[in-house]
Amino acid sequence: MEKIKASILTIGDELLIGQVIDTNSAFIAQELNAIGIDIVRRVAVGDAWDEMWKALDEEQTHADIVLITGGLGPTSDDITKPLLCEYFQTELIQNEDALVNLKKIFINRTLAEKQMGQALLPKACTPIPNTRGTAFGMWFERNGKIIISMPGVPFEMKGMITDFIVPKFKQTLQLPTIGYRYLLTGGLGESAINDRIQTFEDQLPKGMGLAYLPDLGKVRLRLTLHGDNLEEVNRVLDEEFAKMKALLPDVIISDNGDSTEVALGKLLKSQNLTVATAESCTAGNIAHIISSVPGASQYLLGGIVAYSNQVKHEILHVKSETLEKFGAVSEETVKEMVQGTLNIVHSDYAIAVSGILGPDGGSDEKPVGTVWIAVGTKEYITTKKFQFRHNRERNMQLTTNHALNMLIQILRHANA
Amino acid sequence: MEKIKASILTIGDELLIGQVIDTNSAFIAQELNAIGIDIVRRVAVGDAWDEMWKALDEEQTHADIVLITGGLGPTSDDITKPLLCEYFQTELIQNEDALVNLKKIFINRTLAEKQMGQALLPKACTPIPNTRGTAFGMWFERNGKIIISMPGVPFEMKGMITDFIVPKFKQTLQLPTIGYRYLLTGGLGESAINDRIQTFEDQLPKGMGLAYLPDLGKVRLRLTLHGDNLEEVNRVLDEEFAKMKALLPDVIISDNGDSTEVALGKLLKSQNLTVATAESCTAGNIAHIISSVPGASQYLLGGIVAYSNQVKHEILHVKSETLEKFGAVSEETVKEMVQGTLNIVHSDYAIAVSGILGPDGGSDEKPVGTVWIAVGTKEYITTKKFQFRHNRERNMQLTTNHALNMLIQILRHANA
């Protein structure tokens, strides 16, 4: 079966002047990839009639489906709708669903005439409902090509992709059966993981792909298999996925697509445990990341941002002798930070970090990037020293990710 | 003068499967816009020979300059260099500078043969030095078009744009004179700012543009003027910029391009003041953002992540009666959180926040999005209530940005 090819066409000056970073395309690509449609090109053009017309023509020479985002607002520089009308030689007619939707959104406000235009849609298109905003999407078909127009607002676009476009693709297109398995690992680099699983990789069934998707301090591994029969695809994937997991038992963060913070939250909740942090160099980022999961207040009690030595000493009760003798960035200090946090916040677990993120503050003995992390309970504390080699921001992220991973591995182990 | 047009061509499968969000293009667009070059298109294609070749041809029909990023690594799926070699009918030769650079980077490691290939460059190109990695860039010229190839690694690409490409454009191209002024404001929405400065906007000299670049809780205003004479452009811009600032004295964060956290750091340092935080719903993010500026330890002492009521009471000494009578999300609680922080961290200023970010935890009286912020000293405390209407993540960012802005306005006022 020929793979179906799609191109993403983004309309809007804001993308060409660097004002906005395009996150829409990544979402669309992920959703379409998951159902077996290949994105072959992504193109952004400005709010310019000729450029957009030419791009529409061109993209149909590259792809079977063109997904357009942007240019659907009610102002005069939003040209997508009039252009598509002319492109498909059709006219605007009032759409009742779009009108009802519009009136619902403006229930307590006056509808200006230019907003009323949002209820007009090209006669030749299949309207795509927008449950999250005023601009409906449009679905055109001509000469075997599908042209889809969506708003540029990520939240509205995502609703259309999930609720309408992907289901309609699944119904109307001949798509391959495709399966994925994701393993999120922490603490090992790409090449170290490769060393462990190369032999496994070499024996993968024909057609199964393994991708390494590295991030700071973590690597996501993805198994992909195309096939004709979904049950068979899932059976083979499950078999290989189990083999892969068995090779990496000590570094697994999640095997179901969960992010680090979601995986950590589930581990803590299922064991009815609480956590607190004592953060020097990350200055609150670890607690903040833990808190980003809805319901985190069940297991995150709080923490201390111990940026100054005074806070380390007076609030966390790190001994002055420890700070003087070993320094703020030392195994002894992070250990005492864990103990102090457990004593004053009364959590089951505490995470403590102290390091030199740069660009300044390094020394021969403790260069920029030196970070100590401690994780533990009243009974035992694990510590680890890291030497990062990136800039301040990345060193901070690495510290955060490694600290969370250390706690996850302890909890997974305790649970086993 | 005809404006010079550029197109950005990004090579790499990772952009088409949604694995990576393209931040390079925004950077390139900003840097080129600043010297008067228009980006007319941005195109991403996979690591596929034919697709890339066609895209190269096509982009030259749209633009005078094509900037390619990606596909320069040492592995076999990195096809940019061999393709450009064939495209420009030239051959690879060893480049001495690239070799010296490579040996420097591998000083303590063995250079594998595929890495040695990084020192080979097409004969027909002007090499672009890479001070931050192994892959040199390439600059080709043919038929009046400029084709530039850079690595996809953002840090390396940025070095080439700043140190080599922009200076060479300035030297060799006839660029328009263009000037910008940026005013970062906090606390007022786009339309509220518009109400204040509409009359000013209406009287702007011909050719001067004003753009509103809204972000969460802040709006960046940009004045742009093209002209022939740089001195004249700057004189007119300064004049109008002063008028605009005079209309927004109470909401200015910075007038020199500084971010919120950099502006805050400068205000604290120049007044020799320190700050600490007490964060419930943001769980450390405010301290973390303050700490992201190198040297922040001069003014950030630390803080308390007071996620649980127990931490609010036991560590920050918020009274039990206050928590019982008014609740954790109340003016009284954030005020006592400020006082408690000042007492235990001994900073000059403290910021305290408490709110319900959602999706759960709201009530009729205090719906999701209710946030109280207090900022103050031992002498006085300012409080403000907010009602945000976004998701958890955006409500958290809004809380952070408004809290930082409140402190900035106090410090700017105290300084005046």
Side-chain angles (χ1 to χ4, degrees):
Chain A
M1 189 166 62
E2 266 301 290
K3 282 293 278 289
I4 294 172
K5 294 177 183 174
S7 168
I8 300 171
L9 176 56
T10 310
I11 312 294
D13 288 338
E14 63 280 10
L15 281 158
L16 296 178
I17 61 172
Q19 181 186 321
V20 164
I21 287 173
D22 175 20
T23 56
N24 283 349
S25 295
F27 175 84
I28 298 172
Q30 281 170 6
E31 296 302 302
L32 266 62
N33 267 283
I35 57 169
I37 295 173
D38 276 358
I39 306 293
V40 291
R41 282 164 59 92
R42 285 171 34 186
V43 177
V45 301
D47 299 303
W49 191 276
D50 292 348
E51 282 293 339
M52 187 178 161
W53 192 287
K54 264 168 71 179
L56 250 181
D57 279 343
E58 250 173 39
E59 291 319 302
Q60 289 175 75
T61 70
H62 294 281
D64 310 298
I65 302 169
V66 182
L67 296 127
I68 307 167
T69 61
L72 284 190
T75 61
S76 58
D77 55 340
D78 290 306
I79 57 166
T80 301
K81 199 156 64 178
L83 186 141
L84 287 174
C85 246
E86 202 170 313
Y87 194 84
F88 287 101
Q89 295 165 301
T90 182
E91 54 183 330
L92 289 176
I93 56 169
Q94 186 153 298
N95 180 283
E96 284 311 309
D97 296 337
L99 186 64
V100 168
N101 185 59
L102 195 59
K103 285 185 173 161
K104 212 169 71 186
I105 290 173
F106 277 83
I107 192 152
N108 290 317
R109 288 177 288 170
T110 321
L111 258 166
E113 199 182 338
K114 65 179 177 187
Q115 258 109 18
M116 285 298 288
Q118 297 283 63
L120 300 175
L121 289 174
K123 203 173 170 181
C125 83
T126 303
I128 304 175
N130 186 347
T131 55
R132 303 172 172 188
T134 57
F136 269 39
M138 298 165 263
W139 178 301
F140 296 92
E141 297 190 17
R142 189 166 74 182
N143 306 330
K145 305 285 180 181
I146 299 174
I147 287 93
I148 293 169
S149 159
M150 296 174 282
V153 183
F155 182 61
E156 301 179 21
M157 177 280 297
K158 286 178 184 177
M160 291 188 186
I161 289 278
T162 308
D163 301 341
F164 189 96
I165 294 165
V166 162
K168 194 167 154 101
F169 281 153
K170 281 184 175 171
Q171 260 172 38
T172 56
L173 300 179
Q174 274 228 305
L175 297 172
T177 299
I178 185 164
Y180 296 96
R181 293 296 180 276
Y182 285 96
L183 192 70
L184 181 59
T185 69
L188 269 194
E190 204 177 345
S191 60
I193 291 182
N194 182 260
D195 287 346
R196 283 224 212 151
I197 66 173
Q198 186 61 56
T199 315
F200 157 79
E201 204 175 336
D202 292 340
Q203 63 79 53
L204 280 178
K206 201 169 162 291
M208 190 177 290
L210 170 62
Y212 292 70
L213 317 175
D215 194 356
L216 291 169
K218 17 187 188 183
V219 177
R220 195 179 286 273
L221 298 165
R222 183 186 62 209
L223 286 178
T224 313
L225 184 61
H226 295 249
D228 300 317
N229 177 299
L230 184 61
E231 254 176 61
E232 177 64 9
V233 162
N234 280 331
R235 193 191 60 74
V236 179
L237 273 173
D238 284 338
E239 204 175 295
E240 297 302 325
F241 195 54
K243 285 190 212 164
M244 189 167 76
K245 287 201 291 185
L247 297 170
L248 301 162
D250 52 330
V251 295
I252 294 174
I253 294 175
S254 76
D255 59 3
N256 58 359
D258 280 348
S259 65
T260 303
E261 53 274 20
V262 168
L264 175 60
K266 286 181 180 173
L267 283 165
L268 289 166
K269 265 199 286 191
S270 70
Q271 300 176 48
N272 206 16
L273 294 169
T274 57
V275 67
T277 66
E279 307 183 52
S280 182
C281 58
T282 50
N285 192 55
I286 297 173
H288 159 60
I289 296 292
I290 296 174
S291 82
S292 65
V293 181
S297 53
Q298 276 180 63
Y299 47 85
L300 173 67
L301 300 187
I304 308 299
V305 178
Y307 218 58
S308 70
N309 278 356
Q310 191 201 0
V311 170
K312 290 184 187 79
H313 174 61
E314 289 186 12
I315 301 180
L316 287 175
H317 310 300
V318 175
K319 293 188 217 92
S320 300
E321 306 91 83
T322 305
L323 290 168
E324 271 158 37
K325 193 167 165 200
F326 303 102
V329 179
S330 67
E331 182 170 26
E332 291 75 10
T333 295
V334 288
K335 270 182 148 172
E336 291 185 26
M337 286 168 72
V338 163
Q339 285 156 347
T341 305
L342 294 169
N343 284 334
I344 64 170
V345 183
H346 316 297
S347 57
D348 297 306
Y349 278 87
I351 298 174
V353 301
S354 186
I356 303 148
L357 301 185
D360 307 312
S363 65
D364 283 350
E365 197 201 344
K366 294 177 185 173
V368 165
T370 306
V371 172
W372 273 100
I373 303 179
V375 178
T377 65
K378 292 232 172 185
E379 280 72 44
Y380 66 92
I381 297 174
T382 317
T383 60
K384 210 162 165 184
K385 186 188 179 183
F386 294 87
Q387 182 59 56
F388 302 129
R389 290 163 204 286
H390 297 273
N391 64 15
R392 184 176 182 87
E393 165 65 19
R394 290 170 74 93
N395 287 341
M396 195 283 305
Q397 292 291 354
L398 278 162
T399 305
T400 300
N401 292 347
H402 278 289
L404 294 173
N405 183 54
M406 279 171 68
L407 177 55
I408 284 176
Q409 298 314 329
I410 290 171
L411 292 171
R412 287 178 57 90
H413 188 76
N415 204 21
Chain B
M1 189 164 62
E2 268 298 294
K3 283 293 280 289
I4 295 172
K5 295 177 182 174
S7 169
I8 301 172
L9 176 57
T10 310
I11 312 294
D13 288 339
E14 65 281 8
L15 281 158
L16 297 178
I17 61 173
Q19 180 186 321
V20 164
I21 288 174
D22 175 19
T23 55
N24 282 349
S25 294
F27 175 83
I28 298 173
Q30 282 170 7
E31 296 301 301
L32 266 61
N33 267 282
I35 57 169
I37 295 173
D38 277 357
I39 306 294
V40 290
R41 282 164 60 92
R42 286 171 34 185
V43 177
V45 302
D47 299 304
W49 191 276
D50 291 349
E51 282 292 339
M52 187 177 159
W53 192 287
K54 263 169 72 180
L56 250 182
D57 279 343
E58 251 173 39
E59 292 318 302
Q60 289 175 73
T61 70
H62 294 280
D64 310 298
I65 302 169
V66 182
L67 295 128
I68 308 167
T69 60
L72 284 189
T75 62
S76 57
D77 55 341
D78 290 305
I79 57 167
T80 301
K81 199 157 64 179
L83 186 141
L84 287 174
C85 247
E86 202 170 314
Y87 194 84
F88 288 100
Q89 295 164 300
T90 180
E91 55 183 329
L92 289 175
I93 55 168
Q94 183 151 301
N95 179 285
E96 284 311 310
D97 295 337
L99 186 65
V100 168
N101 185 58
L102 194 62
K103 286 187 173 161
K104 213 168 70 186
I105 290 172
F106 278 83
I107 192 152
N108 290 318
R109 290 175 287 171
T110 320
L111 258 165
E113 199 182 338
K114 65 180 176 187
Q115 258 108 17
M116 285 298 289
Q118 297 282 63
L120 299 175
L121 288 174
K123 204 174 170 183
C125 82
T126 305
I128 304 177
N130 186 347
T131 54
R132 303 170 172 190
T134 57
F136 269 40
M138 298 165 263
W139 178 301
F140 296 92
E141 298 189 17
R142 189 166 74 183
N143 306 329
K145 307 282 182 184
I146 299 173
I147 287 93
I148 293 169
S149 159
M150 296 173 282
V153 183
F155 181 61
E156 300 179 21
M157 176 280 296
K158 287 178 184 177
M160 289 188 188
I161 289 279
T162 309
D163 300 340
F164 190 95
I165 295 165
V166 163
K168 192 167 155 105
F169 281 154
K170 281 185 175 172
Q171 260 171 38
T172 55
L173 300 179
Q174 273 227 304
L175 298 171
T177 300
I178 186 165
Y180 297 96
R181 293 295 180 278
Y182 286 96
L183 191 69
L184 181 59
T185 70
L188 270 194
E190 206 178 344
S191 60
I193 289 182
N194 182 259
D195 287 347
R196 283 224 210 153
I197 65 172
Q198 185 61 56
T199 315
F200 158 78
E201 205 175 335
D202 293 339
Q203 62 80 53
L204 280 178
K206 200 168 163 288
M208 189 179 291
L210 170 62
Y212 292 70
L213 316 174
D215 195 354
L216 291 168
K218 16 185 189 182
V219 177
R220 195 178 286 272
L221 298 165
R222 184 187 60 210
L223 287 177
T224 312
L225 184 62
H226 295 248
D228 301 316
N229 177 300
L230 182 62
E231 253 175 61
E232 178 64 9
V233 162
N234 279 331
R235 192 190 61 75
V236 179
L237 273 173
D238 284 338
E239 204 174 297
E240 298 300 326
F241 194 55
K243 286 189 211 167
M244 188 166 78
K245 287 201 292 185
L247 297 168
L248 301 161
D250 52 330
V251 294
I252 294 173
I253 293 175
S254 75
D255 60 3
N256 57 359
D258 280 348
S259 68
T260 303
E261 53 274 21
V262 168
L264 175 60
K266 286 182 181 173
L267 282 165
L268 288 166
K269 263 199 288 190
S270 70
Q271 298 176 49
N272 206 17
L273 294 169
T274 58
V275 68
T277 66
E279 306 184 53
S280 183
C281 59
T282 49
N285 192 56
I286 298 174
H288 159 60
I289 296 292
I290 296 174
S291 83
S292 65
V293 180
S297 54
Q298 275 179 65
Y299 47 85
L300 173 67
L301 299 187
I304 308 299
V305 178
Y307 218 58
S308 71
N309 278 356
Q310 192 200 1
V311 171
K312 290 184 187 78
H313 174 61
E314 289 187 13
I315 300 180
L316 287 175
H317 310 300
V318 176
K319 294 187 215 91
S320 300
E321 305 92 83
T322 305
L323 290 168
E324 272 157 36
K325 192 168 166 198
F326 303 102
V329 179
S330 67
E331 182 171 24
E332 291 75 9
T333 295
V334 289
K335 270 181 148 174
E336 291 185 26
M337 285 167 74
V338 164
Q339 285 156 348
T341 306
L342 294 169
N343 284 334
I344 64 170
V345 184
H346 317 298
S347 56
D348 297 305
Y349 278 87
I351 298 174
V353 301
S354 186
I356 303 148
L357 301 185
D360 308 314
S363 65
D364 284 350
E365 197 202 342
K366 292 176 186 172
V368 164
T370 306
V371 172
W372 274 99
I373 303 179
V375 179
T377 64
K378 293 235 171 181
E379 280 73 43
Y380 67 92
I381 298 175
T382 315
T383 61
K384 211 163 165 182
K385 187 189 180 182
F386 294 86
Q387 183 59 58
F388 301 129
R389 292 164 203 287
H390 298 273
N391 64 16
R392 185 178 181 87
E393 165 65 19
R394 289 169 74 93
N395 288 341
M396 194 282 305
Q397 291 291 353
L398 277 162
T399 306
T400 301
N401 291 348
H402 278 289
L404 294 174
N405 183 53
M406 278 172 67
L407 178 55
I408 285 175
Q409 298 313 329
I410 290 170
L411 292 171
R412 286 178 58 89
H413 189 75
N415 205 19

